[in-house]
Amino acid sequence: MKKRTVTILGFSAIAVITAVYFYLGGLNSVEYSVENVSDYNLIGVPFKGKAKDKAIEEAYFEAKEYVESGSIAGTLTLVHYNDTTLADGEQKLFIGIKLDAGIADLPANYERMTIPVKRVVRASIEAHNSVMPSPGKIEDNLYKRADELNIRLQDFTIEQYVSANLLIIDVPAK
């Protein structure tokens, strides 16, 4: 190939990649705020074990299916506990659904959990998962923001996957 053709193809590829990055929301910033909320009513499955266990993925996609099919009205939610007693590579989670309304019949393996809370420090970002900052990075910034505001936080986060492009992470205040 001629040098000119390679140069044109290179610039075209860079332009396309940049356009896709912008389209997916790569430049959208994370919005931080302090919100007054009411208790979180959740249903789902608790998990404690290796971070790469397939049970996490299975529970996530099961909850996602309930929400997407409309059989349970709510938001796909993951509670991530910062448990310092866990061994390296282990996690403690609650994977399920934050209910929009009450529910009488639970799926067979699900249990109820209520998180009493009045105020949270919240991060929200609207971007595609492939260009979104990691939840860990967002969580670090939430704790920094809370320190700046002299708000003491609990030791877990509540990740709400509102849609494919909207993630809300709440950390309840003590």
Side-chain angles (χ1 to χ4, degrees):
M1 270 192 212
K2 294 182 180 180
K3 190 175 183 177
R4 183 172 191 245
T5 305
V6 171
T7 303
I8 291 172
L9 286 174
F11 281 123
S12 297
I14 290 170
V16 168
I17 291 169
T18 303
V20 169
Y21 184 75
F22 287 136
Y23 176 75
L24 294 175
L27 292 182
N28 293 354
S29 63
V30 179
E31 301 293 326
Y32 296 95
S33 61
V34 176
E35 303 288 333
N36 293 321
V37 297
S38 56
D39 296 349
Y40 291 95
N41 294 308
L42 307 167
I43 60 170
V45 293
F47 173 83
K48 182 178 178 183
K50 296 289 182 190
K52 297 192 185 240
D53 192 323
K54 287 193 181 264
I56 296 171
E57 185 177 325
E58 291 168 1
Y60 177 87
F61 284 111
E62 179 183 13
K64 184 177 180 180
E65 178 59 31
Y66 285 127
V67 171
E68 288 179 348
S69 70
S71 59
I72 299 176
T75 304
L76 180 61
T77 302
L78 182 107
V79 179
H80 182 267
Y81 298 93
N82 297 322
D83 190 341
T84 57
T85 64
L86 296 173
D88 284 343
E90 286 190 332
Q91 287 185 335
K92 183 177 176 184
L93 308 167
F94 187 86
I95 305 159
I97 301 165
K98 182 179 93 172
L99 297 172
D100 290 343
I103 184 171
D105 297 324
L106 294 178
N109 61 333
Y110 273 32
E111 52 187 71
R112 293 180 190 272
M113 182 172 78
T114 300
I115 301 173
V117 62
K118 300 275 186 246
R119 189 167 70 149
V120 297
V121 178
R122 174 173 288 172
S124 60
I125 183 166
E126 196 164 347
H128 191 273
N129 289 337
S130 61
V131 297
M132 191 178 293
S134 71
K137 183 177 180 181
I138 294 172
E139 182 181 331
D140 290 343
N141 289 335
L142 276 169
Y143 281 97
K144 288 178 188 172
R145 183 67 49 114
D147 279 344
E148 292 170 1
L149 299 171
N150 293 321
I151 298 173
R152 291 186 31 214
L153 299 177
Q154 296 192 37
D155 59 351
F156 62 92
T157 61
I158 303 166
E159 300 174 12
Q160 300 167 72
Y161 297 88
V162 179
S163 69
N165 295 333
L166 179 58
L167 172 65
I168 296 174
I169 300 177
D170 289 345
V171 183
K174 287 185 181 180

